[in-house]
Amino acid sequence: MKITAVAETETTTRSVSIAETLRCAILAGEFSPGERMIEINLSERLNVSRTPIRAAFQALAGEGLLVHTPNKGYYVREFSLEDIVQAYEIRAALEGLAARRAAQAGMTTEQMEAVEEALSAGDALVDQEAFTPEDRSHYGQINKTFHDIVHAAGGSTMIRDMLRISQQVAPSSHHNVIAFEPRDVRRRHDDHHRIYEAILTRDGGRAEILMRDHVESVKLSLIRTLHSKPHAE
Amino acid sequence: MKITAVAETETTTRSVSIAETLRCAILAGEFSPGERMIEINLSERLNVSRTPIRAAFQALAGEGLLVHTPNKGYYVREFSLEDIVQAYEIRAALEGLAARRAAQAGMTTEQMEAVEEALSAGDALVDQEAFTPEDRSHYGQINKTFHDIVHAAGGSTMIRDMLRISQQVAPSSHHNVIAFEPRDVRRRHDDHHRIYEAILTRDGGRAEILMRDHVESVKLSLIRTLHSKPHAE
DNA sequence: TCAAAGGATTTTGTGTACAATCTGAAAAAT
DNA sequence: ATTTTTCAGATTGTACACAAAATCCTTTGA
């Protein structure tokens, strides 16, 4: 039998790992929106030449995290409030699509178990009077888990790519700013239950409508919040 | 195969103009899906060094026209039938969203005039018994005009970016392959009238539903066509 | 004949030098 | 004082050389 040399070292090129590094740094808010990304600057900080830095910049520009202006360079993309609202609209449309497809295709046993675990954990959390910041962060994770599983179950590669891009639009700073009243969180958690139910019963139309409205409600919360204190930045 | 080089205007860099050149070449089908893009090869044919070629590759990879594998290079992305179907689903969702937003926002006078012109031109075309290939190509342009105006009226920057990507998925070869029966064309042209009417009357919900179904119907045509002659390639 | 092994060739990844362009501040002119 | 001009420094764009990795082809062994 033919055995090709297996078990390669974790060979990733510098360009790829630097792109990963910078992606995390940008998403963590270590660069300000609109900030210019100076090649030689990062080249020194990361101990590589400009070449892999440029490659990483180009990759991140393709993902929409940086914007490029010829002869001027790369800048951290800044999102207007309008951009963020639009991103939620896109997410609503695409996550609705993914939920419908998930209902049509069905979930694997592992996915169902993972969703049920997330739902139970959420049940325990929202059953409190008030939320600590840790609770909020924890619920954020649970929420992400739920949506990720729906994407995995119903999202095609292309849908997931586009969802990833539209999710990057709302930077973490804004995400946390959104005032998540306990009442809103309970309502959204209840949405999760209903969406899962619709998927289980293979009701694609209902899953889609529920998911769309679920995501739209976050958009509306955002608009409401920023409307009541417009200059809260 | 001859690549028509884009004119080197002084206001843009080589990387940008080469990306433009290659984008057109790929969309025109001058490279086969899955084909490996060899840097030095193109570098000689276009009389530049490998550096701007690499930059162009990276940009095109960001747009989804090429895929990159570390240490192996860039390949022309190939789309499975499943990919194409998924792209139509995404388009249906996003174009529906754009139509709703267009209805909510309303159209400018110029946009309305352009749509009405496209609709009239279409009316004249579909009123025939049979279509020549020129007719079909002409109708394709009219169709594109209609959708572009709706995108312009209702699509945010982000929606339009994503639509552009999902429209690139179905290469021209496949596009033309789809058997557009006169009956289907007439039906779709009628859809355009109704969608426009819904936008004019500011009925966002109706505009969205009609547009979604309109795009989905193309998807279904495609599935039907490829099902009846599976190995028509 | 076939498959594995090895090396030569090709191709991509990276560093670096230099050219082209932009930026910002000081100097000159009104 | 304000605007324009100029120019030096900084930054990006491009070419090229070399290193690292993959690919291809020949050779070798059963």
Side-chain angles (χ1 to χ4, degrees), chain B residues 72-89:
Chain B
K72 290 191 62 181
Y74 291 84
Y75 296 79
V76 178
R77 179 160 171 190
E78 47 189 348
F79 296 102
S80 65
L81 176 55
E82 180 64 17
D83 285 332
I84 296 172
V85 170
Q86 287 164 2
Y88 274 109
E89 286 185 353

Side-chain angles (χ1 to χ4, degrees), chain A:
Chain A
M1 86 176 79
K2 163 155 78 171
I3 299 180
T4 56
V6 190
E8 262 318 304
T9 58
E10 193 81 46
T11 50
T12 172
T13 64
R14 292 202 232 291
S15 305
V16 174
S17 64
I18 286 173
E20 173 74 17
T21 302
L22 291 180
R23 187 180 4 254
C24 293
I26 292 169
L27 290 177
E30 289 174 28
F31 298 95
S32 322
E35 181 176 344
R36 185 173 182 178
M37 304 290 281
I38 294 170
E39 294 173 3
I40 200 163
N41 190 335
L42 285 161
S43 141
E44 284 164 6
R45 277 169 60 183
L46 297 173
N47 284 319
V48 292
S49 81
R50 281 172 53 212
T51 308
I53 300 285
R54 287 177 71 85
F57 282 0
Q58 283 155 335
L60 295 175
E63 297 175 27
L65 283 162
L66 298 179
V67 291
H68 176 69
T69 309
N71 285 320
K72 289 191 63 180
Y74 292 84
Y75 296 79
V76 178
R77 179 159 169 191
E78 47 189 347
F79 296 102
S80 64
L81 175 56
E82 181 63 16
D83 285 332
I84 295 171
V85 170
Q86 287 164 1
Y88 274 108
E89 285 184 355
I90 292 171
R91 283 185 54 186
L94 294 181
E95 296 216 37
L97 176 57
R100 172 157 57 95
R101 289 171 48 101
Q104 286 163 351
M107 280 184 168
T108 67
T109 312
E110 294 81 26
Q111 287 170 338
M112 295 196 296
E113 283 169 0
V115 168
E116 282 160 23
E117 193 183 312
L119 288 176
S120 300
D123 287 339
L125 255 181
V126 302
D127 239 9
Q128 303 174 50
E129 294 282 326
F131 300 150
T132 67
E134 290 77 34
D135 288 340
R136 231 164 292 186
S137 159
H138 186 197
Y139 188 77
Q141 293 227 331
I142 290 172
N143 179 63
K144 184 173 186 311
T145 302
F146 177 81
H147 286 268
D148 282 351
I149 296 171
V150 174
H151 301 169
S156 62
T157 310
M158 216 172 308
I159 292 177
R160 278 149 78 182
D161 282 349
M162 291 191 174
L163 276 174
R164 196 166 39 74
I165 289 175
S166 61
Q167 277 172 317
Q168 283 175 349
V169 168
S172 49
S173 54
H174 277 283
H175 241 68
N176 298 338
V177 160
I178 299 173
F180 273 66
E181 304 292 332
R183 188 183 148 192
D184 289 338
V185 174
R186 287 194 195 98
R187 166 59 199 251
R188 287 199 197 107
H189 184 64
D190 198 59
D191 288 346
H192 287 179
H193 275 287
R194 287 206 193 174
I195 291 166
Y196 179 54
E197 188 183 72
I199 291 174
L200 275 190
T201 58
R202 300 300 191 90
D203 189 341
R206 184 158 179 258
E208 173 163 25
I209 288 177
L210 288 174
M211 181 62 97
R212 274 183 63 152
D213 196 69
H214 175 68
V215 177
E216 285 270 336
S217 80
V218 179
K219 180 190 89 173
L220 295 175
S221 283
L222 177 67
I223 292 175
R224 202 184 330 121
T225 304
L226 294 186
H227 216 272
S228 63
K229 38 177 181 174
H231 301 283
E233 194 78 359

Side-chain angles (χ1 to χ4, degrees), chain B residues 95-96 98-100 102-103 107 115 119 143 146-147 149-151 187-217:
Chain B
E95 296 216 36
R100 172 157 57 95
M107 279 184 169
V115 167
L119 287 177
N143 180 62
F146 178 82
H147 285 269
I149 297 171
V150 175
H151 300 170
R187 167 60 198 251
R188 287 198 199 108
H189 184 64
D190 199 59
D191 287 346
H192 287 179
H193 276 287
R194 288 207 194 172
I195 291 166
Y196 179 53
E197 186 183 73
I199 290 174
L200 276 190
T201 58
R202 302 301 191 87
D203 189 342
R206 183 158 179 257
E208 174 163 24
I209 288 177
L210 289 173
M211 181 63 96
R212 274 184 62 152
D213 196 69
H214 175 67
V215 178
E216 285 270 335
S217 80

